[in-house]
Amino acid sequence: MQSTFHWPLYVIFSHRMSNWVAAILTTGVSIGLSALSYYVLEPVIAGKPVHIFQCNVNWKKLWLPTMVAIVLLGVNGESVVKAAPQSQHWSKICGSAEFVKTLI
């Protein structure tokens, strides 16, 4: 399974900090999420037993941390979207009669 979450992480981190810190943080978080996916998530989905630090892990133990992570990523993503610059140019184009005529 190929991990494609590194680019969105970089975009989120680069809006919050300098470029080099965002790159380092993206690399670290991407490696951590890849390891988590490979050693925990994929075996759980495949129905195989998962052992982390000599502790058995199943979906019942993973649902709460998963939901917390999804909520935190969603809140962070929403704040990045709200902080993004708004383009008045596109709203004028999309709301214009010429643009509507080109779609018909």
Side-chain angles (χ1 to χ4, degrees):
M1 182 169 151
Q2 183 179 5
S3 300
T4 56
F5 48 76
H6 59 277
W7 180 251
L9 287 175
Y10 174 73
V11 171
I12 291 169
F13 293 146
S14 66
H15 285 318
R16 300 284 186 195
M17 55 200 67
S18 66
N19 192 27
W20 69 272
V21 175
I24 291 171
L25 191 59
T26 299
T27 301
V29 171
S30 294
I31 290 170
L33 289 175
S34 295
L36 182 71
S37 174
Y38 182 78
Y39 289 109
V40 177
L41 186 61
E42 292 177 21
V44 167
I45 292 172
K48 297 178 182 177
V50 179
H51 306 287
I52 300 175
F53 302 116
Q54 300 166 348
C55 177
N56 292 335
V57 178
N58 57 22
W59 181 245
K60 291 179 183 178
K61 292 181 180 178
L62 289 178
W63 77 270
L64 182 60
T66 302
M67 292 304 133
V68 169
I70 289 171
V71 168
L72 290 175
L73 286 173
V75 168
N76 189 30
E78 180 184 5
S79 67
V80 168
V81 168
K82 284 184 177 183
Q86 302 296 318
S87 174
Q88 299 299 322
H89 178 73
W90 285 107
S91 63
K92 289 179 184 177
I93 290 174
C94 294
S96 67
E98 295 85 25
F99 180 74
V100 174
K101 287 179 185 176
T102 62
L103 296 176
I104 298 177

